[in-house]
Amino acid sequence: MAINWTETQIEEIVNKVVVGIQGNRTLSQSTWDSVSYCGRAFIGVYEKMEDAIAAAENGYRAVRAMSVAQREKLITVIRGMIRDEAPIMAALGVAETGMGRVDHKTAKHLLVADKTPGTEDIVPTVRTGDFGLTLTEMAPFGVVGSITPSTNPSETVLCNSIGMIAAANGVVFNPHPNAIATSNYAVDLINRASRAAGVPAVLVASMAKPTLDTANVMYKHPAIRLLVCTGGPGVVRAVLASGKKAIGAGAGNPPVIVDDTADIPKAAKDIIDGCTFDNNLPCIAEKEVFAFASIADELIAGMLKNGAYKITAAEAEKLAGIVLKDVKNPKTGIVKKAVARDCVGRDAKVLLEKIGIHVGDEIRCIICETSFDHLFVQEELMMPILPIVRVHNIDEAIELAVKAEHGNRHTAHMHSKNIDHLSRFAKAVETTIFVKNAPSYAGIGFGGEGHTTFTIAGPTGEGITSAKSFTRLRRCVMADSFRII
Ligand code: NAD
């Protein structure tokens, strides 16, 4: 596949990536900015949103002119390039955002390459009867406007692009301002793939300087037929208020229940593995545990064997004062707690150092016992900090876990062998994803059955989005004919 880099550029990239991965350290900023990487200008990145939308409209025309087989061929090229360049995007993501882990981000990109559905997801249906034949097709919307987060920046751009292209849409991105280079690297990858597959260069478009203003232009532009928003509550609210058809993939705060029938050593390992995946950035990752008091000590001991470090109640207060800040709403004057951005997605070791505790690299998670009201339980931290609340029975566990999920209907987890307990919690919590007896990432197809996505649309109900989520149904009726019986 033709990627127009010089040998020196390739060597430079490989060296930097290897250093980044080996030490889980970050790339030097001299190699990238929001419009280029190692001196190579990104294809499809614009200064003005109007120009980006015009390019995406051209992209839409190009993709509509392609046969299903041609789209699938293009997606195959995209998958191959994601596999090849996953370590680069992973290292760039960590370097640019300061969040997450290179090895886990690499795994997330490979998951996108392997398990994002393509054109096979677009399945027409046919109904025949006394009055003939009716065909229902999944048609493209046109140009999709997509808002993407800082937590899985290139993963979301790539996963959404595959689904949107499979459904024959054009797409313009307004990526997170803290992850522009990583997101635009992914946009460029799609456009290089389209070139390699022999279709026009700009298939998907993005912004050099995305802002709330450029997002607003997107919301109001007549060419945008569908908005897809992956982010926190503020942006999902803004997109749903736009007046356009919108898919909202919002915040979570996934609780975990561990009852007295669970395989406790396995539950301990699974919870720490899931909670620490990419330093807790995935919205599906375990955020708080409700453990039966009868097994809580054994569970905590198992976690300590798997890279957890337990802090005291006093240390938890000190840490809470650092990772959560008071933020005043300028309009209402109301003060609310918000996560300190410079703590999100950081290594457990780095967070512990902030309260004067020095540990080795083997420590990947901070655990503590708290009350239900503690901020660590109530706030979506997106850090490898896991509060554990002791409960006395399944009624209390379900009641508290449902409250802690805050009605996001996003994700919940349970470790149990009691099918009544499992069924009761699954029914009560009403989340889009419910994972039983596995790390959270099984819920997005990583060690679990089913396809993957990085846009989990709880608020608007599309669920684990895929190509068909980005389609509109169209009916074609042939009256009195084409029935063969
Ligand atoms: P964020 O909410 O800070 O930002 C998302 C994007 O929206 C950014 O581009 C940001 O600039 C923009 N934005 C924010 N407020 C806006 C507004 N009022 N109008 C227009 N644009 C606005 O996202 P983040 O911190 O990078 O991501 C973390 C959040 O996203 C967490 O809450 C996480 O749970 C959620 N998330 C959800 C999913 C999902 O699939 N449901 C996936 C990833 C992240």
Side-chain angles (χ1 to χ4, degrees), residues 42-127:
F42 291 144
I43 306 169
V45 177
Y46 297 86
E47 293 293 327
K48 288 175 67 183
M49 178 53 86
E50 288 84 352
D51 293 341
I53 292 173
E57 284 185 276
N58 276 335
Y60 172 50
R61 278 189 278 276
V63 82
R64 278 214 72 181
M66 291 163 74
S67 66
V68 177
Q70 284 170 322
R71 293 207 301 274
E72 196 48 42
K73 187 179 157 208
L74 167 59
I75 290 167
T76 303
V77 176
I78 292 171
R79 292 187 200 282
M81 287 176 65
I82 296 173
R83 284 186 201 107
D84 290 347
E85 299 177 40
I88 301 176
M89 290 182 278
L92 184 55
V94 174
E96 185 179 25
T97 64
M99 306 191 299
R101 294 178 51 97
V102 174
D103 48 356
H104 294 171
K105 282 194 188 293
T106 303
K108 281 161 58 177
H109 284 83
L110 297 178
L111 183 66
V112 168
D114 292 344
K115 295 194 84 174
T116 306
T119 54
E120 76 283 3
D121 201 45
I122 308 292
V123 184
T125 53
V126 172
R127 184 188 169 98

Side-chain angles (χ1 to χ4, degrees), residues 153-212:
S154 36
E155 301 90 316
T156 308
V157 167
L158 296 167
C159 188
N160 282 0
S161 293
I162 290 176
M164 289 166 188
I165 290 169
N169 292 292
V171 51
V172 57
F173 290 97
N174 198 63
H176 198 288
N178 296 346
I180 312 174
T182 314
S183 309
N184 286 349
Y185 187 108
V187 165
D188 177 64
L189 182 148
I190 302 285
N191 288 321
R192 279 186 283 125
S194 84
R195 238 183 216 182
V199 284
V202 175
L203 205 55
V204 301
S206 181
M207 295 301 301
K209 278 197 201 118
T211 62
L212 294 187

Side-chain angles (χ1 to χ4, degrees), residues 220-471:
K220 298 200 175 93
H221 199 288
I224 302 292
R225 298 298 195 128
L226 169 69
L227 289 166
V228 177
C229 172
T230 317
V235 63
V236 170
R237 262 196 307 275
V239 166
L240 295 187
S242 68
K244 285 198 196 285
K245 160 79 182 174
I247 294 177
N253 193 35
V256 192
I257 293 179
V258 186
D259 78 8
D260 55 355
T261 66
D263 177 340
I264 304 299
K266 180 178 183 303
K269 181 174 185 315
D270 284 355
I271 293 170
I272 296 297
D273 285 350
C275 172
T276 57
F277 189 56
D278 208 16
N279 280 343
N280 202 251
L281 290 177
C283 48
I284 56 161
E286 294 84 346
K287 299 284 190 284
E288 62 277 338
V289 176
F290 297 94
F292 275 36
S294 54
I295 52 84
D297 289 338
E298 189 189 349
L299 183 71
I300 289 168
M303 289 176 169
L304 294 175
K305 278 189 202 146
N306 281 283
Y309 181 94
K310 188 168 183 242
I311 55 173
T312 64
E315 288 163 344
E317 288 322 303
K318 202 169 164 191
L319 190 58
I322 292 168
V323 303
L324 289 155
K325 302 272 180 221
D326 285 334
V327 176
K328 193 173 180 181
N329 182 319
K331 283 188 195 148
T332 61
I334 296 171
V335 177
K336 279 182 81 176
K337 288 286 176 196
V339 289
R341 279 271 160 188
D342 60 351
C343 295
V344 172
R346 275 18 183 218
D347 292 346
K349 180 183 162 180
V350 171
L351 296 173
L352 282 172
E353 272 161 15
K354 289 180 187 289
I355 56 168
I357 297 173
H358 305 284
V359 296
D361 288 334
E362 72 285 0
I363 296 302
R364 51 187 178 136
C365 190
I366 303 167
I367 59 171
C368 51
E369 289 197 51
T370 69
S371 67
F372 170 73
D373 298 325
H374 197 277
L375 287 169
F376 284 172
V377 174
Q378 300 301 324
E379 297 292 326
E380 185 200 24
L381 296 181
M382 293 180 288
M383 301 167 202
I385 298 175
L386 190 64
I388 299 160
V389 179
R390 288 182 191 243
V391 292
H392 297 96
N393 53 47
I394 191 65
D395 297 323
E396 186 187 6
I398 292 176
E399 187 192 336
L400 296 186
V402 168
K403 278 187 188 156
E405 211 274 326
H406 300 312
N408 293 320
R409 296 180 167 199
H410 196 297
T411 299
H413 310 282
M414 186 160 181
H415 294 265
S416 171
K417 288 186 179 154
N418 181 320
I419 53 170
D420 295 332
H421 288 181
L422 287 161
S423 304
R424 278 183 59 193
F425 184 34
K427 276 187 193 166
V429 75
E430 293 191 88
T431 47
T432 305
I433 297 179
F434 188 78
V435 179
K436 300 167 181 168
N437 299 324
S440 48
Y441 42 71
I444 52 166
F446 198 49
E449 285 300 325
H451 71 270
T452 200
T453 187
F454 282 83
T455 295
I456 299 154
T460 48
E462 291 77 7
I464 325 300
T465 57
S466 59
K468 63 170 165 296
S469 314
F470 312 123
T471 61

